[in-house]
C-alpha cells in the first residue's frame, strides 16, 4: 500500500471532470482501493474519491466510524428529506461550509470483486455518500454552498 497525493481544488482540473465507470475488477483496482484507504486514514478524512488522487474512475472509500466501505460505480437510486449541516473536503483544506443534502439515500454499487450491493445511509453517512459521488461527477462541494459568506463555518 502507498499513500497518494491529494489534488487541491482550484489547482487541478481532474477534480472538475466526470470520472469513468470501472469495468475491470482486477489487481489494479484493488491496489487503487488499498491506496485510497491508506491516503484517507493518513489525512484523517471520512471519505475519498478517486479523482482526488487524480484517477478518473468511479471509485470511493468512506469510513464514518463504522469501518471501511469500498464503493465502486455508485448510483443514488433513492433519496429523501433535506438536512443542512457542516461539510469539509480534503481537496479544500482549511475551509468548511454548511451544505444541504438529503437526510437519506439508497445507493447501488459494486464491491472490489464486482458484486452488486445496496448501501442505505442517513444523516452523516448520506452526506458522505452524496459528497463523494459528487466528486465522481466533477462537483466539488463548495459549488453546492448556497451562501459563501454566511454558510462558511471555518
Ligand atoms: Co471531498
Amino acid at each position: 500500500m502507498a499513500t497518494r497525493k491529494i489534488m487541491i481544488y482550484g489547482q487541478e482540473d481532474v477534480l472538475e471532470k466526470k470520472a469513468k465507470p470501472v469495468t475491470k475488477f482486477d489487481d489494479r483496482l484493488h491496489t487503487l482501493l488499498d491506496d485510497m484507504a491508506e491516503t484517507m486514514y493518513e489525512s484523517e478524512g471520512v471519505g475519498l474519491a478517486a479523482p482526488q488522487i487524480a484517477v478518473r474512475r468511479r471509485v470511493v472509500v468512506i469510513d464514518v466510524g463504522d469501518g471501511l466501505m469500498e464503493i465502486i460505480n455508485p448510483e443514488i437510486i433513492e433519496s429523501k428529506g433535506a438536512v443542512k449541516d457542516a461539510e469539509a473536503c480534503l481537496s479544500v483544506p482549511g475551509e468548511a461550509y454548511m451544505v444541504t443534502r438529503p437526510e437519506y439515500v439508497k445507493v447501488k454499487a459494486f464491491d472490489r470483486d464486482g458484486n452488486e450491493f445496496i448501501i442505505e445511509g442517513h444523516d452523516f453517512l448520506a452526506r458522505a455518500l452524496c459528497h463523494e459521488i459528487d466528486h465522481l461527477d466533477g462537483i466539488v462541494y463548495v459549488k453546492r454552498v448556497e451562501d459563501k459568506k454566511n454558510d462558511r463555518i471555518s
Side-chain angles (χ1 to χ4, degrees):
M1 295 215 287
T3 57
R4 309 259 192 120
K5 186 173 174 253
I6 295 176
M7 304 294 112
I8 301 300
Y9 180 55
Q11 296 178 9
E12 317 285 347
D13 288 349
V14 67
L15 289 170
E16 295 177 78
K17 299 224 163 92
K18 207 169 155 76
K20 300 177 198 103
V22 169
T23 53
K24 288 181 193 160
F25 294 81
D26 57 6
D27 286 350
R28 209 165 155 213
L29 172 68
H30 296 173
T31 302
L32 172 65
L33 285 160
D34 292 344
D35 288 356
M36 284 175 64
E38 192 174 333
T39 305
M40 174 181 72
Y41 287 125
E42 194 198 57
S43 313
E44 295 178 358
V46 296
L48 190 74
Q52 291 184 273
I53 55 161
V55 175
R56 284 181 67 185
R57 287 287 169 188
R58 302 187 78 79
V59 178
V60 162
V61 292
I62 288 176
D63 188 342
V64 294
D66 299 323
L68 179 65
M69 291 193 282
E70 298 177 334
I71 300 161
I72 296 147
N73 297 345
E75 206 181 306
I76 296 172
I77 54 174
E78 209 181 311
S79 70
K80 280 182 210 156
V83 180
K84 193 170 182 178
D85 208 344
E87 209 162 306
C89 179
L90 293 173
S91 293
V92 190
E95 294 177 33
Y97 296 90
M98 298 296 280
V99 180
T100 303
R101 298 285 191 184
E103 188 280 326
Y104 164 86
V105 290
K106 187 174 188 177
V107 173
K108 187 187 89 168
F110 295 85
D111 69 13
R112 61 163 58 208
D113 299 313
N115 302 303
E116 192 178 308
F117 67 102
I118 298 285
I119 322 160
E120 290 181 282
H122 290 271
D123 299 307
F124 192 55
L125 178 55
R127 179 170 301 278
L129 286 162
C130 292
H131 178 116
E132 301 309 334
I133 292 169
D134 267 355
H135 273 303
L136 306 181
D137 293 322
I139 300 165
V140 176
Y141 88 106
V142 289
K143 287 185 193 161
R144 297 213 183 264
V145 175
E146 290 146 33
D147 182 335
K148 276 268 158 60
K149 199 171 151 206
N150 290 309
D151 288 337
R152 183 158 183 180
I153 50 172
S154 78

